[in-house]
Amino acid sequence: MRELLEREIEGIINASGENIMMTDGRGVILRSVKNGQEVYGLASSELVGKSVQELEALHIFNPSVTLRVIEEKKPITVMQQTATGKTMMTRGVPLLDEHHNVIRVISFSHDMTEIQQLKEKYEAMQQKMMHYESEIEQLRDQHGLPHGVVIKSKAMQDVWTLIRKVAGSSATVVLQGESGVGKSIFARAIHHHSTRRDGPLIEVNCGAIPESLVESELFGYEPGAFTGAHSKGKVGLLELANKGTLFLDEIGELPLSIQVKLLKVLQEKTFVRVGGTKSRSVDFRLITASHRDLKEMVADGTFREDLYYRLHVVPLLIPPLRERPDDIVQLTHAFLAVFNERYHTNKHMHPLALQQLLHYAWPGNVRELENMIERLVVTVESEQIQQEHIPFLSNEQHVPATTLQEALADVERKWLIQARTQCQSTYEMARYLGMSQPTVIRRLQKYKIDSKMN
């Protein structure tokens, strides 16, 4: 009767199609599947009688799920590497006696090797995409797009189009937007594309100058103009910007008394140094920026209305990063390239880590993203920046797990959209993507992408 029961158990195990192993409460193998040679490099007969501690030490499989089950007395699931190079998802289940002692451990293993290889191919494809996107960024830089500016989103395309239009004029531009959106970068871009590009670009953060020094810093002073003044006097920032561009960042921080003098300079193109009497001519293009609402400041009486309208010739609003998530991935790659070169590293982002970035509100905007990428490049030891390395996400902001199929579908959709923008027909798209034209049409329909060409 016992012999029949043994055969029945063995028949059930072998017929199940599962990789099943059974040990006693000490981890000594009592039964094993017949395909042990294929999975572990040892025949089932060689496995029986050996302890899992010994086999783990020999890297026949690692880690041992049985040891963890014996220790924790509960079902455990692990990803296991075997001596034959296979990746196995193994679940161990304990059998307990009436005293809650482990008397048997049964483990069930599924071969995940092909899925793991597919995952690795997917990540390799992500790296290629990052490389291609970096090349695209380099080409954009060659056409005058400054570092830190990404124009993938419609909002940024509109901003960049307007910048290119106004750059060649002498019109005063006021850049508005939250702190960290890159207003100074756009000011430099306007100067770079203007007729004054060979002249100086003088950048002034009005909020960083003590109120008592603002006038002397902007307008300069004559020798002996005040106690502590340099004996030779000083050239002001307005004079230094002559024949070039003056960029006044955070102009809302200027005292009202200085606003009056600045307005006079803009109207008459002349000024007088502090402590002087001589009128001096000056010729510069003015760009200003503020994260504050200047119109509200006018209503509050903290900003002059006449100066407001003098500055507000071309208002240009830079949208915050949270309103243009399409730019986050490209900005991340651009910053990675910069900091990899600076710190002689080769860091790259895991796809799920990139998804984490897309689900964050970025209150510090582009500056916060840039600083975070630099921190990750410097502090993460591995070459791949993983999901758990992202430092700022709370549990509420954590991104739900994404299946491999969903991730691959997202990649396929992005490639189709890229091909759609680059090609003139579905036949050209087929050549671009290396697939047949009917397949392209089916994929476009699947992802609801417009197949009509311009």
Side-chain angles (χ1 to χ4, degrees):
M1 186 68 180
R2 180 178 176 82
E3 182 180 353
L4 178 60
L5 181 60
E6 290 284 335
R7 289 185 178 181
E8 286 177 347
I9 293 173
E10 184 177 358
I12 291 171
I13 290 175
N14 291 326
S16 69
E18 300 279 351
N19 294 314
I20 299 176
M21 186 178 291
M22 181 186 295
T23 74
D24 63 16
R26 296 172 300 152
V28 175
I29 297 174
L30 304 176
R31 297 180 183 275
S32 180
V33 291
K34 287 186 176 180
N35 61 344
Q37 186 70 46
E38 176 188 348
V39 177
Y40 304 110
L42 292 175
S44 296
S45 58
E46 296 178 273
L47 291 170
V48 172
K50 290 185 170 58
S51 71
V52 292
Q53 292 97 329
E54 175 188 357
L55 295 174
E56 183 183 52
L58 294 172
H59 296 284
I60 302 301
F61 46 72
N62 187 54
S64 168
V65 71
T66 300
L67 291 178
R68 288 190 56 185
V69 171
I70 293 173
E71 179 182 350
E72 300 185 34
K73 298 183 179 181
K74 66 179 183 179
I76 299 289
T77 300
V78 301
M79 295 299 291
Q80 203 175 64
Q81 300 296 319
T82 74
T84 59
K86 291 187 177 295
T87 300
M88 310 294 291
M89 184 171 71
T90 304
R91 180 168 179 79
V93 180
L95 298 181
L96 307 176
D97 63 15
E98 63 274 15
H99 303 294
H100 204 64
N101 296 315
V102 177
I103 56 174
R104 295 286 187 271
V105 176
I106 304 174
S107 59
F108 308 83
S109 299
H110 301 275
D111 192 344
M112 303 290 288
T113 306
E114 290 186 5
I115 294 177
Q116 179 66 22
Q117 290 172 347
L118 183 59
K119 176 176 176 290
E120 291 171 358
K121 288 181 181 179
Y122 164 67
E123 292 181 354
M125 185 165 60
Q126 284 285 327
Q127 296 308 307
K128 286 185 178 180
M129 288 182 67
M130 288 172 59
H131 176 70
Y132 295 148
E133 288 172 344
S134 296
E135 288 184 344
I136 291 171
E137 288 300 314
Q138 292 174 7
L139 290 173
R140 285 177 172 166
D141 286 341
Q142 293 172 8
H143 288 84
L145 195 62
H147 161 69
V149 176
V150 166
I151 58 171
K152 183 176 181 181
S153 66
K154 179 63 166 57
M156 291 306 293
Q157 290 176 14
D158 293 342
V159 169
W160 187 246
T161 298
L162 185 55
I163 283 177
R164 295 298 295 266
K165 285 180 179 179
V166 304
S169 71
S170 58
T172 301
V173 177
V174 57
L175 300 168
Q176 296 175 300
E178 298 176 4
S179 295
V181 294
K183 295 186 288 294
S184 60
I185 293 174
F186 288 104
R188 294 168 202 152
I190 293 172
H191 173 75
H192 176 75
H193 288 91
S194 74
T195 57
R196 297 173 179 264
R197 66 177 66 90
D198 295 328
L201 170 63
I202 304 300
E203 301 184 40
V204 184
N205 187 331
C206 299
I209 306 175
E211 186 172 343
S212 60
L213 299 178
V214 172
E215 183 177 11
S216 60
E217 288 294 315
L218 290 179
F219 296 92
Y221 57 83
E222 298 292 352
F226 51 85
T227 303
H230 195 280
S231 59
K232 294 183 179 179
K234 181 178 180 180
V235 177
L237 296 170
L238 272 63
E239 282 183 85
L240 292 176
N242 193 43
K243 303 301 181 184
T245 302
L246 177 66
F247 172 47
L248 297 180
D249 196 6
E250 299 302 346
I251 193 170
E253 305 302 319
L254 279 182
L256 284 169
S257 60
I258 304 301
Q259 293 178 28
V260 174
K261 293 192 173 187
L262 177 61
L263 179 62
K264 189 173 186 294
V265 174
L266 296 177
Q267 291 172 339
E268 301 177 4
K269 305 295 184 184
T270 61
F271 72 100
V272 178
R273 287 182 180 179
V274 175
T277 57
K278 179 183 176 181
S279 180
R280 299 172 183 270
S281 298
V282 70
D283 174 27
F284 56 80
R285 199 262 184 87
L286 181 64
I287 302 173
T288 63
S290 178
H291 76 280
R292 300 173 66 182
D293 189 325
L294 296 180
K295 196 168 185 178
E296 286 187 3
M297 293 183 67
V298 170
D300 295 339
T302 54
F303 199 85
R304 290 185 62 91
E305 185 176 22
D306 46 7
L307 179 58
Y308 171 81
Y309 287 112
R310 185 66 180 79
L311 300 177
H312 222 254
V313 178
V314 181
L316 206 158
L317 179 63
I318 312 298
L321 191 55
R322 64 180 174 274
E323 293 180 7
R324 45 189 178 102
D326 288 349
D327 295 334
I328 293 174
V329 173
Q330 283 187 290
L331 277 169
T332 298
H333 294 331
F335 291 142
L336 275 173
V338 169
F339 295 123
N340 274 330
E341 182 177 358
R342 179 179 301 176
Y343 297 110
H344 308 290
T345 56
N346 189 31
K347 304 293 174 68
H348 58 274
M349 301 286 290
H350 189 280
L352 290 180
L354 282 174
Q355 286 193 42
Q356 295 282 49
L357 304 186
L358 293 172
H359 287 75
Y360 181 59
W362 297 108
N365 290 294
V366 178
R367 185 184 297 124
E368 182 183 6
L369 175 61
E370 182 177 14
N371 291 342
M372 190 209 68
I373 296 300
E374 181 175 14
R375 182 166 69 251
L376 291 173
V377 168
V378 171
T379 59
V380 174
E381 295 184 359
S382 61
E383 285 197 353
Q384 187 174 67
I385 298 170
Q386 300 281 347
Q387 193 175 7
E388 59 267 22
H389 294 139
I390 307 300
F392 49 69
L393 293 178
S394 66
N395 292 332
E396 290 78 13
Q397 293 169 323
H398 219 68
V399 181
T402 302
T403 67
L404 183 61
Q405 290 79 7
E406 290 171 339
L408 291 172
D410 185 57
V411 171
E412 185 177 50
R413 183 181 62 81
K414 289 179 178 178
W415 272 97
L416 285 164
I417 293 173
Q418 175 70 16
R420 173 67 178 77
T421 60
Q422 297 290 326
C423 303
Q424 301 299 317
S425 68
T426 53
Y427 292 98
E428 189 176 341
M429 286 181 65
R431 291 192 297 271
Y432 181 90
L433 296 169
M435 60 178 64
S436 68
Q437 190 256 0
T439 300
V440 168
I441 293 176
R442 285 196 299 271
R443 293 291 192 272
L444 291 173
Q445 292 172 345
K446 174 183 176 182
Y447 296 108
K448 295 180 174 58
I449 300 172
D450 186 7
S451 61
K452 293 181 181 179
M453 298 295 170
N454 297 327

